[in-house]
Coordinates of all heavy atoms in Angstrom, one line a residue:
M1 N 6.0 11.3 34.1 CA 7.0 11.6 33.1 C 6.9 10.7 31.9 O 6.6 9.5 32.0 CB 8.4 11.4 33.7 CG 9.4 11.7 32.7 SD 11.0 12.1 33.2 CE 12.0 11.8 34.2
A2 N 7.0 11.2 30.7 CA 6.8 10.5 29.5 C 8.0 9.6 29.2 O 9.1 9.9 29.5 CB 6.6 11.4 28.3
T3 N 7.7 8.4 28.7 CA 8.7 7.5 28.2 C 8.8 7.5 26.7 O 8.0 8.1 26.1 CB 8.4 6.0 28.7 OG1 7.2 5.6 28.1 CG2 8.3 5.9 30.2
K4 N 9.9 6.9 26.2 CA 10.0 6.9 24.8 C 9.0 6.0 24.1 O 8.6 5.0 24.7 CB 11.4 6.3 24.4 CG 12.6 7.2 24.8 CD 13.9 6.6 24.3 CE 15.0 7.5 24.7 NZ 16.3 7.0 24.2
P5 N 8.5 6.4 22.9 CA 7.5 5.6 22.3 C 8.1 4.2 21.8 O 9.3 4.1 21.6 CB 7.1 6.4 21.0 CG 8.0 7.6 21.0 CD 8.8 7.6 22.2
M6 N 7.2 3.2 21.8 CA 7.6 1.9 21.3 C 8.0 1.9 19.9 O 7.3 2.5 19.0 CB 6.4 0.9 21.6 CG 6.7 -0.5 21.2 SD 5.3 -1.6 21.5 CE 5.5 -2.0 23.2
T7 N 9.1 1.3 19.5 CA 9.6 1.3 18.1 C 8.9 0.2 17.4 O 8.2 -0.7 18.0 CB 11.1 1.1 18.1 OG1 11.4 -0.2 18.6 CG2 11.8 2.2 18.8
K8 N 9.0 0.2 16.1 CA 8.4 -0.9 15.3 C 9.0 -2.3 15.7 O 8.3 -3.3 15.8 CB 8.6 -0.7 13.8 CG 7.9 -1.7 13.0 CD 8.1 -1.5 11.5 CE 7.4 -2.6 10.7 NZ 7.5 -2.4 9.3
T9 N 10.3 -2.3 15.9 CA 11.0 -3.6 16.3 C 10.4 -4.1 17.6 O 10.1 -5.3 17.8 CB 12.5 -3.3 16.4 OG1 13.0 -2.8 15.2 CG2 13.2 -4.6 16.8
Q10 N 10.2 -3.2 18.6 CA 9.7 -3.6 19.9 C 8.2 -4.0 19.7 O 7.8 -5.0 20.4 CB 9.7 -2.4 20.9 CG 11.2 -2.1 21.3 CD 11.2 -0.7 22.0 OE1 10.4 0.1 21.9 NE2 12.3 -0.6 22.9
L11 N 7.5 -3.3 18.9 CA 6.1 -3.7 18.7 C 6.0 -5.1 18.0 O 5.1 -5.9 18.4 CB 5.4 -2.6 17.8 CG 3.9 -2.8 17.5 CD1 3.1 -2.9 18.8 CD2 3.4 -1.7 16.6
V12 N 6.8 -5.3 17.0 CA 6.8 -6.6 16.3 C 7.2 -7.7 17.3 O 6.5 -8.8 17.3 CB 7.8 -6.6 15.1 CG1 8.1 -8.0 14.6 CG2 7.3 -5.8 14.0
A13 N 8.1 -7.5 18.2 CA 8.5 -8.5 19.2 C 7.3 -8.7 20.2 O 7.1 -9.9 20.5 CB 9.7 -8.0 20.0
A14 N 6.6 -7.7 20.6 CA 5.5 -7.9 21.5 C 4.3 -8.6 20.8 O 3.7 -9.5 21.4 CB 5.0 -6.5 22.0
I15 N 4.1 -8.3 19.5 CA 3.0 -9.0 18.7 C 3.4 -10.5 18.6 O 2.6 -11.4 18.8 CB 2.8 -8.3 17.4 CG1 2.2 -6.9 17.6 CG2 1.9 -9.2 16.5 CD1 2.1 -6.1 16.3
A16 N 4.7 -10.7 18.3 CA 5.1 -12.1 18.1 C 5.0 -12.9 19.4 O 4.5 -14.1 19.4 CB 6.6 -12.1 17.6
E17 N 5.3 -12.3 20.5 CA 5.1 -13.0 21.8 C 3.6 -13.2 22.1 O 3.3 -14.3 22.6 CB 5.8 -12.1 22.9 CG 5.8 -12.8 24.2 CD 6.4 -11.9 25.3 OE1 7.4 -11.2 24.9 OE2 6.0 -12.0 26.5
A18 N 2.8 -12.2 21.8 CA 1.4 -12.4 22.1 C 0.7 -13.4 21.2 O -0.2 -14.2 21.6 CB 0.7 -11.0 22.0
M19 N 1.2 -13.5 20.0 CA 0.6 -14.5 19.0 C 1.3 -15.8 19.1 O 0.8 -16.8 18.5 CB 0.9 -14.0 17.6 CG 0.0 -12.8 17.2 SD 0.4 -12.1 15.5 CE 0.5 -13.6 14.5
E20 N 2.4 -15.9 19.9 CA 3.2 -17.1 20.0 C 3.6 -17.6 18.6 O 3.5 -18.7 18.2 CB 2.4 -18.2 20.7 CG 2.1 -17.9 22.2 CD 1.3 -19.0 22.9 OE1 1.0 -20.0 22.3 OE2 1.0 -18.8 24.1
A21 N 4.1 -16.6 17.9 CA 4.6 -16.8 16.5 C 6.0 -16.2 16.3 O 6.5 -15.6 17.3 CB 3.6 -16.2 15.5
D22 N 6.5 -16.4 15.2 CA 7.9 -15.8 14.9 C 7.7 -14.3 14.5 O 6.6 -13.8 14.2 CB 8.7 -16.6 13.9 CG 8.0 -16.7 12.5 OD1 6.8 -16.2 12.5 OD2 8.6 -17.1 11.6
K23 N 8.9 -13.6 14.5 CA 8.9 -12.2 14.2 C 8.5 -11.9 12.8 O 7.9 -10.9 12.5 CB 10.2 -11.6 14.6 CG 10.4 -11.5 16.1 CD 11.7 -10.8 16.4 CE 12.0 -10.8 17.9 NZ 13.2 -10.1 18.2
K24 N 8.8 -12.8 11.9 CA 8.5 -12.7 10.4 C 6.9 -12.6 10.3 O 6.4 -11.8 9.5 CB 9.1 -13.8 9.6 CG 8.9 -13.6 8.1 CD 9.6 -14.7 7.4 CE 9.5 -14.5 5.9 NZ 10.2 -15.6 5.2
T25 N 6.2 -13.5 10.9 CA 4.8 -13.5 10.9 C 4.2 -12.3 11.5 O 3.2 -11.7 11.0 CB 4.2 -14.8 11.6 OG1 4.9 -15.9 11.0 CG2 2.7 -14.9 11.5
A26 N 4.8 -11.9 12.6 CA 4.3 -10.7 13.3 C 4.5 -9.4 12.5 O 3.6 -8.5 12.4 CB 5.0 -10.5 14.7
T27 N 5.6 -9.3 11.8 CA 5.9 -8.2 10.9 C 4.9 -8.2 9.7 O 4.4 -7.1 9.4 CB 7.3 -8.3 10.3 OG1 8.3 -8.3 11.4 CG2 7.6 -7.1 9.4
A28 N 4.6 -9.3 9.2 CA 3.7 -9.4 8.1 C 2.3 -9.0 8.5 O 1.6 -8.3 7.8 CB 3.6 -10.8 7.5
A29 N 1.9 -9.4 9.7 CA 0.6 -9.0 10.3 C 0.5 -7.5 10.5 O -0.5 -6.9 10.1 CB 0.3 -9.7 11.6
L30 N 1.5 -6.9 11.1 CA 1.6 -5.5 11.3 C 1.5 -4.7 10.0 O 0.8 -3.7 9.9 CB 2.8 -5.1 12.2 CG 3.0 -3.6 12.5 CD1 1.8 -3.1 13.3 CD2 4.3 -3.4 13.2
D31 N 2.3 -5.1 9.0 CA 2.3 -4.5 7.7 C 1.0 -4.6 7.0 O 0.5 -3.6 6.4 CB 3.4 -5.0 6.9 CG 4.8 -4.7 7.3 OD1 5.0 -3.7 8.1 OD2 5.8 -5.3 6.9
A32 N 0.3 -5.7 7.2 CA -1.0 -5.9 6.6 C -2.0 -4.9 7.2 O -2.8 -4.3 6.5 CB -1.5 -7.3 6.7
V33 N -2.0 -4.8 8.5 CA -3.0 -4.0 9.2 C -2.7 -2.5 8.8 O -3.6 -1.7 8.6 CB -2.9 -4.2 10.7 CG1 -3.7 -3.1 11.5 CG2 -3.4 -5.5 11.1
T34 N -1.4 -2.1 8.8 CA -1.0 -0.8 8.5 C -1.5 -0.4 7.0 O -2.0 0.7 6.8 CB 0.5 -0.6 8.6 OG1 0.9 -0.9 9.9 CG2 0.9 0.9 8.3
G35 N -1.3 -1.3 6.1 CA -1.7 -1.1 4.7 C -3.2 -1.0 4.6 O -3.6 -0.1 3.8
I36 N -3.9 -1.8 5.3 CA -5.4 -1.8 5.2 C -5.9 -0.4 5.7 O -6.7 0.2 5.1 CB -6.0 -2.9 5.9 CG1 -5.7 -4.2 5.2 CG2 -7.5 -2.7 6.1 CD1 -6.0 -5.5 6.0
I37 N -5.4 0.0 6.9 CA -5.8 1.3 7.4 C -5.4 2.4 6.5 O -6.3 3.3 6.3 CB -5.2 1.5 8.8 CG1 -5.8 0.5 9.8 CG2 -5.4 2.9 9.3 CD1 -5.0 0.4 11.2
T38 N -4.2 2.4 6.0 CA -3.8 3.5 5.0 C -4.7 3.6 3.8 O -5.1 4.6 3.4 CB -2.3 3.2 4.6 OG1 -1.5 3.2 5.8 CG2 -1.8 4.3 3.7
N39 N -5.0 2.4 3.2 CA -5.8 2.4 2.0 C -7.2 2.9 2.3 O -7.8 3.7 1.5 CB -5.9 1.0 1.4 CG -4.6 0.6 0.7 OD1 -3.7 1.5 0.4 ND2 -4.3 -0.7 0.6
E40 N -7.8 2.5 3.4 CA -9.2 2.8 3.7 C -9.3 4.3 4.0 O -10.2 5.0 3.5 CB -9.7 2.0 4.9 CG -11.1 2.2 5.3 CD -12.1 1.8 4.2 OE1 -11.7 0.9 3.4 OE2 -13.2 2.4 4.1
V41 N -8.4 4.8 4.9 CA -8.4 6.3 5.3 C -8.1 7.2 4.1 O -8.7 8.2 3.9 CB -7.5 6.5 6.5 CG1 -7.5 8.0 6.8 CG2 -8.1 5.7 7.7
S42 N -7.1 6.8 3.3 CA -6.7 7.7 2.1 C -7.8 7.7 1.1 O -8.0 8.7 0.3 CB -5.4 7.2 1.5 OG -5.6 5.9 0.9
G43 N -8.7 6.7 1.1 CA -9.8 6.7 0.2 C -11.1 7.4 0.7 O -12.1 7.4 0.1
G44 N -10.9 8.0 1.9 CA -12.0 8.8 2.4 C -12.8 8.0 3.5 O -13.8 8.5 4.0
G45 N -12.5 6.8 3.7 CA -13.2 5.9 4.7 C -12.7 6.1 6.1 O -11.9 7.0 6.4
A46 N -13.2 5.2 7.0 CA -12.7 5.3 8.4 C -12.5 3.8 8.8 O -13.1 2.9 8.3 CB -13.8 5.9 9.2
V47 N -11.7 3.7 9.8 CA -11.4 2.4 10.4 C -11.6 2.5 11.9 O -11.0 3.3 12.6 CB -9.9 1.9 10.1 CG1 -9.6 0.6 10.8 CG2 -9.7 1.8 8.6
T48 N -12.3 1.5 12.5 CA -12.5 1.5 13.9 C -11.7 0.3 14.5 O -11.9 -0.8 14.0 CB -14.0 1.3 14.3 OG1 -14.7 2.4 13.8 CG2 -14.2 1.2 15.8
L49 N -10.8 0.6 15.4 CA -10.0 -0.4 16.1 C -10.6 -0.6 17.4 O -10.6 0.3 18.3 CB -8.6 0.1 16.2 CG -7.8 0.4 14.9 CD1 -6.5 1.1 15.2 CD2 -7.6 -0.9 14.1
P50 N -11.3 -1.7 17.6 CA -12.1 -1.9 18.9 C -11.2 -1.8 20.1 O -10.1 -2.3 20.2 CB -12.6 -3.4 18.8 CG -12.6 -3.7 17.3 CD -11.4 -2.9 16.7
G51 N -11.6 -1.0 21.1 CA -10.9 -0.7 22.3 C -9.8 0.3 22.2 O -9.2 0.7 23.2
I52 N -9.5 0.8 20.9 CA -8.5 1.8 20.7 C -9.1 3.1 20.2 O -8.9 4.1 20.8 CB -7.4 1.3 19.7 CG1 -6.7 0.1 20.3 CG2 -6.4 2.4 19.4 CD1 -5.8 -0.6 19.4
G53 N -9.8 3.0 19.1 CA -10.4 4.3 18.6 C -10.8 4.2 17.1 O -10.7 3.1 16.6
K54 N -11.1 5.3 16.6 CA -11.5 5.4 15.2 C -10.6 6.3 14.5 O -10.3 7.5 14.9 CB -13.0 5.9 15.1 CG -13.5 6.1 13.7 CD -14.9 6.6 13.8 CE -15.5 6.8 12.4 NZ -16.8 7.4 12.4
I55 N -10.0 5.9 13.3 CA -9.1 6.7 12.5 C -9.9 7.1 11.2 O -10.5 6.2 10.6 CB -7.9 5.9 12.1 CG1 -7.1 5.4 13.3 CG2 -7.0 6.7 11.2 CD1 -6.0 4.4 13.1
Y56 N -9.9 8.4 10.9 CA -10.7 8.8 9.8 C -10.0 10.1 9.1 O -9.1 10.6 9.7 CB -12.1 9.2 10.2 CG -12.2 10.2 11.3 CD1 -12.4 11.5 10.9 CD2 -12.1 9.9 12.6 CE1 -12.5 12.5 11.9 CE2 -12.2 10.8 13.6 CZ -12.4 12.1 13.2 OH -12.5 13.1 14.2
C57 N -10.5 10.4 7.9 CA -10.0 11.6 7.2 C -11.0 12.7 7.3 O -12.2 12.4 7.1 CB -9.7 11.2 5.8 SG -8.9 12.5 4.8
R58 N -10.6 13.9 7.5 CA -11.5 15.0 7.6 C -11.0 16.1 6.7 O -9.8 16.3 6.6 CB -11.5 15.6 9.0 CG -12.5 16.7 9.2 CD -12.6 17.1 10.7 NE -11.5 17.9 11.0 CZ -11.4 19.3 10.8 NH1 -12.4 19.9 10.2 NH2 -10.3 19.9 11.2
E59 N -11.9 16.8 6.0 CA -11.5 17.8 5.1 C -11.6 19.2 5.8 O -12.5 19.4 6.6 CB -12.5 17.9 3.9 CG -12.3 16.7 3.0 CD -13.1 16.8 1.7 OE1 -13.4 17.9 1.3 OE2 -13.3 15.7 1.1
R60 N -10.5 20.0 5.6 CA -10.5 21.3 6.2 C -10.8 22.3 5.1 O -10.2 22.2 4.0 CB -9.1 21.6 6.8 CG -8.9 20.9 8.1 CD -7.8 21.4 8.9 NE -6.5 21.3 8.2 CZ -5.3 21.5 8.7 NH1 -5.2 21.8 10.0 NH2 -4.2 21.3 8.0
P61 N -11.6 23.3 5.3 CA -11.9 24.3 4.3 C -10.7 25.2 4.0 O -9.8 25.3 4.9 CB -13.1 25.0 4.8 CG -13.0 24.9 6.3 CD -12.3 23.5 6.5
A62 N -10.8 26.0 2.9 CA -9.8 27.0 2.7 C -9.9 28.1 3.7 O -11.0 28.4 4.2 CB -10.0 27.6 1.3
R63 N -8.8 28.6 4.1 CA -8.8 29.6 5.2 C -7.6 30.5 5.1 O -6.7 30.3 4.3 CB -8.8 28.9 6.5 CG -7.6 28.1 6.8 CD -7.8 27.1 7.9 NE -6.6 26.3 8.2 CZ -6.2 25.3 7.5 NH1 -6.9 24.9 6.4 NH2 -5.1 24.6 7.9
Q64 N -7.6 31.5 5.9 CA -6.4 32.4 6.0 C -5.6 32.1 7.2 O -6.2 31.9 8.3 CB -6.8 33.9 6.0 CG -7.3 34.4 4.7 CD -7.3 35.9 4.7 OE1 -7.6 36.6 5.7 NE2 -7.0 36.5 3.5
V65 N -4.3 32.0 7.1 CA -3.4 31.7 8.2 C -2.3 32.8 8.3 O -2.1 33.5 7.3 CB -2.7 30.4 8.1 CG1 -3.7 29.2 8.1 CG2 -1.9 30.3 6.8
R66 N -1.8 33.0 9.4 CA -0.8 34.0 9.6 C 0.6 33.4 9.6 O 0.9 32.4 10.2 CB -1.0 34.7 11.0 CG 0.0 35.9 11.2 CD -0.3 36.6 12.6 NE -1.7 36.9 12.7 CZ -2.2 38.1 12.3 NH1 -1.5 38.9 11.6 NH2 -3.5 38.3 12.5
N67 N 1.5 34.0 8.8 CA 2.9 33.7 8.8 C 3.6 34.2 10.1 O 3.6 35.4 10.3 CB 3.6 34.2 7.5 CG 5.1 33.9 7.4 OD1 5.7 33.5 8.4 ND2 5.6 34.0 6.2
P68 N 4.0 33.3 11.0 CA 4.6 33.8 12.2 C 5.8 34.6 12.1 O 6.1 35.5 13.0 CB 4.8 32.5 13.0 CG 4.8 31.4 12.1 CD 4.0 31.9 10.9
A69 N 6.6 34.4 11.0 CA 7.8 35.2 10.9 C 7.6 36.6 10.4 O 8.3 37.5 10.9 CB 8.7 34.5 9.8
T70 N 6.6 36.8 9.6 CA 6.4 38.2 9.0 C 5.1 38.8 9.5 O 4.9 40.0 9.4 CB 6.3 38.1 7.5 OG1 5.2 37.3 7.1 CG2 7.6 37.6 6.9
G71 N 4.1 38.0 10.0 CA 2.8 38.5 10.4 C 1.9 38.7 9.3 O 0.7 39.1 9.5
D72 N 2.3 38.4 8.0 CA 1.4 38.5 6.9 C 0.3 37.4 6.9 O 0.6 36.3 7.3 CB 2.2 38.4 5.6 CG 3.1 39.5 5.4 OD1 2.9 40.6 6.0 OD2 4.1 39.4 4.6
M73 N -0.9 37.7 6.4 CA -1.9 36.7 6.2 C -1.8 36.1 4.9 O -1.5 36.7 3.9 CB -3.3 37.4 6.3 CG -3.6 38.0 7.7 SD -3.6 36.8 9.0 CE -5.0 35.9 8.7
I74 N -1.9 34.7 4.9 CA -1.7 33.9 3.7 C -3.0 33.1 3.4 O -3.5 32.6 4.4 CB -0.5 33.0 3.8 CG1 0.8 33.8 4.1 CG2 -0.3 32.1 2.6 CD1 1.9 32.9 4.5
D75 N -3.4 33.0 2.2 CA -4.5 32.1 1.9 C -4.0 30.7 1.8 O -3.1 30.4 1.0 CB -5.1 32.5 0.5 CG -5.9 33.9 0.6 OD1 -6.4 34.2 1.7 OD2 -5.9 34.6 -0.4
K76 N -4.7 29.8 2.5 CA -4.3 28.4 2.5 C -5.4 27.6 1.9 O -6.6 27.8 2.2 CB -4.0 27.9 3.9 CG -3.6 26.5 4.0 CD -2.9 26.1 5.3 CE -2.4 24.8 5.2 NZ -2.0 23.8 5.6
E77 N -5.1 26.7 0.9 CA -6.1 26.0 0.2 C -6.7 24.9 1.1 O -6.1 24.6 2.2 CB -5.4 25.3 -1.0 CG -4.9 26.2 -2.0 CD -4.2 25.5 -3.2 OE1 -4.4 24.2 -3.3 OE2 -3.6 26.2 -4.0
A78 N -7.8 24.4 0.7 CA -8.5 23.3 1.4 C -7.6 22.1 1.4 O -6.9 21.9 0.4 CB -9.8 23.0 0.8
D79 N -7.6 21.3 2.5 CA -6.8 20.1 2.5 C -7.5 19.1 3.4 O -8.6 19.3 3.9 CB -5.4 20.4 3.1 CG -5.4 21.0 4.5 OD1 -6.4 21.3 5.0 OD2 -4.3 21.1 5.0
K80 N -6.8 17.9 3.5 CA -7.4 16.8 4.3 C -6.4 16.5 5.4 O -5.2 16.6 5.2 CB -7.6 15.6 3.4 CG -8.6 15.8 2.3 CD -8.7 14.5 1.5 CE -9.7 14.7 0.4 NZ -9.8 13.5 -0.4
V81 N -6.9 16.1 6.6 CA -6.1 15.7 7.7 C -6.6 14.4 8.3 O -7.8 14.1 8.2 CB -6.1 16.8 8.8 CG1 -5.4 18.0 8.4 CG2 -7.5 17.1 9.3
V82 N -5.7 13.6 8.8 CA -6.1 12.4 9.4 C -6.3 12.6 10.9 O -5.5 13.3 11.6 CB -5.0 11.3 9.3 CG1 -5.4 10.0 10.0 CG2 -4.8 11.0 7.8
K83 N -7.5 12.2 11.4 CA -7.9 12.4 12.8 C -8.1 11.0 13.5 O -8.3 10.0 12.8 CB -9.2 13.2 12.9 CG -9.1 14.6 12.4 CD -8.3 15.4 13.4 CE -8.4 16.9 13.0 NZ -7.8 17.7 14.1
M84 N -8.0 11.0 14.8 CA -8.3 9.8 15.5 C -9.1 10.1 16.8 O -8.7 11.0 17.5 CB -7.0 9.1 15.9 CG -7.3 7.8 16.7 SD -5.8 6.8 16.8 CE -6.5 5.3 17.6
T85 N -10.2 9.5 16.9 CA -11.0 9.6 18.1 C -10.7 8.4 19.0 O -10.7 7.3 18.6 CB -12.5 9.6 17.8 OG1 -12.8 10.6 16.8 CG2 -13.4 9.8 19.0
I86 N -10.3 8.7 20.2 CA -9.9 7.6 21.2 C -11.1 7.0 21.8 O -12.1 7.7 22.2 CB -9.0 8.2 22.2 CG1 -7.8 8.9 21.6 CG2 -8.5 7.1 23.2 CD1 -6.9 8.1 20.7
A87 N -11.1 5.7 21.9 CA -12.2 4.9 22.5 C -12.3 5.1 24.0 O -11.3 5.4 24.7 CB -12.1 3.4 22.2
K88 N -13.5 5.1 24.5 CA -13.7 5.3 26.0 C -13.0 4.3 26.8 O -12.4 4.6 27.9 CB -15.2 5.2 26.3 CG -15.5 5.6 27.7 CD -17.0 5.6 28.0 CE -17.4 6.0 29.4 NZ -16.6 5.6 30.5
A89 N -12.9 3.0 26.3 CA -12.2 2.0 27.1 C -10.7 2.3 27.3 O -10.1 2.1 28.3 CB -12.3 0.6 26.3
L90 N -10.1 2.9 26.2 CA -8.7 3.3 26.3 C -8.5 4.5 27.3 O -7.6 4.5 28.1 CB -8.1 3.6 24.9 CG -6.6 3.9 24.9 CD1 -5.7 2.8 25.5 CD2 -6.2 4.2 23.4
K91 N -9.4 5.4 27.1 CA -9.3 6.6 28.0 C -9.5 6.2 29.5 O -8.7 6.6 30.4 CB -10.5 7.6 27.7 CG -10.3 8.4 26.5 CD -11.5 9.3 26.3 CE -11.5 9.9 24.9 NZ -12.7 10.8 24.7
D92 N -10.4 5.3 29.7 CA -10.6 4.8 31.1 C -9.4 4.0 31.7 O -9.1 4.2 32.8 CB -11.9 4.0 31.2 CG -13.1 4.8 31.0 OD1 -13.1 6.0 31.0 OD2 -14.2 4.1 30.7
S93 N -8.8 3.2 30.8 CA -7.6 2.5 31.3 C -6.4 3.4 31.6 O -5.6 3.1 32.5 CB -7.2 1.4 30.2 OG -6.7 2.0 29.1
V94 N -6.3 4.5 30.8 CA -5.2 5.4 31.0 C -5.4 6.2 32.3 O -4.5 6.5 33.1 CB -5.0 6.4 29.8 CG1 -4.1 7.5 30.2 CG2 -4.6 5.6 28.6
N95 N -6.7 6.6 32.6 CA -7.0 7.4 33.8 C -7.3 6.6 35.0 O -7.6 7.2 36.0 CB -8.2 8.3 33.4 CG -7.9 9.3 32.4 OD1 -6.8 9.9 32.5 ND2 -8.8 9.6 31.5
A96 N -7.2 5.3 34.9 CA -7.5 4.4 36.1 C -6.3 4.4 37.1 O -5.2 4.7 36.9 CB -7.8 3.0 35.7

């Protein structure tokens, strides 16, 4: 059964405990990592988080999609999506 996802407050508290630092320092560290990942991926790059996975941006070509309400086909422009490939170490730890 799935549990609720960890909130930012809980994550900051866990980081502070692991770093043996205060919550202000942990919040600054989390915000810095988030900002770096956002800037790199939005610029077309990729970020590898060792033991977790790789976050990257992928372009999707223009295509036709169906409107589920009416059944009409609509032309959708090309766009970009953020993808994440999960590392084998994380997969193995979840399936162990």
Side-chain angles (χ1 to χ4, degrees):
M1 181 161 30
T3 60
K4 291 183 179 180
M6 184 181 273
T7 64
K8 181 178 179 180
T9 304
Q10 293 168 332
L11 182 59
V12 166
I15 292 171
E17 185 178 328
M19 290 175 47
E20 296 179 0
D22 60 351
K23 289 183 181 179
K24 185 175 182 181
T25 304
T27 301
L30 180 61
D31 290 342
V33 169
T34 304
I36 291 167
I37 292 171
T38 301
N39 288 338
E40 185 65 26
V41 173
S42 66
V47 176
T48 300
L49 301 171
I52 297 174
K54 180 179 176 183
I55 302 171
Y56 58 96
C57 183
R58 186 177 75 85
E59 293 188 20
R60 288 195 295 193
R63 62 197 183 282
Q64 285 198 326
V65 296
R66 184 178 309 276
N67 181 340
T70 63
D72 294 337
M73 294 302 286
I74 301 168
D75 290 327
K76 184 163 184 190
E77 296 179 10
D79 60 351
K80 295 179 183 179
V81 293
V82 176
K83 295 285 189 174
M84 182 168 185
T85 303
I86 305 301
K88 185 177 183 324
L90 182 57
K91 286 180 191 176
D92 291 345
S93 70
V94 168
N95 291 320

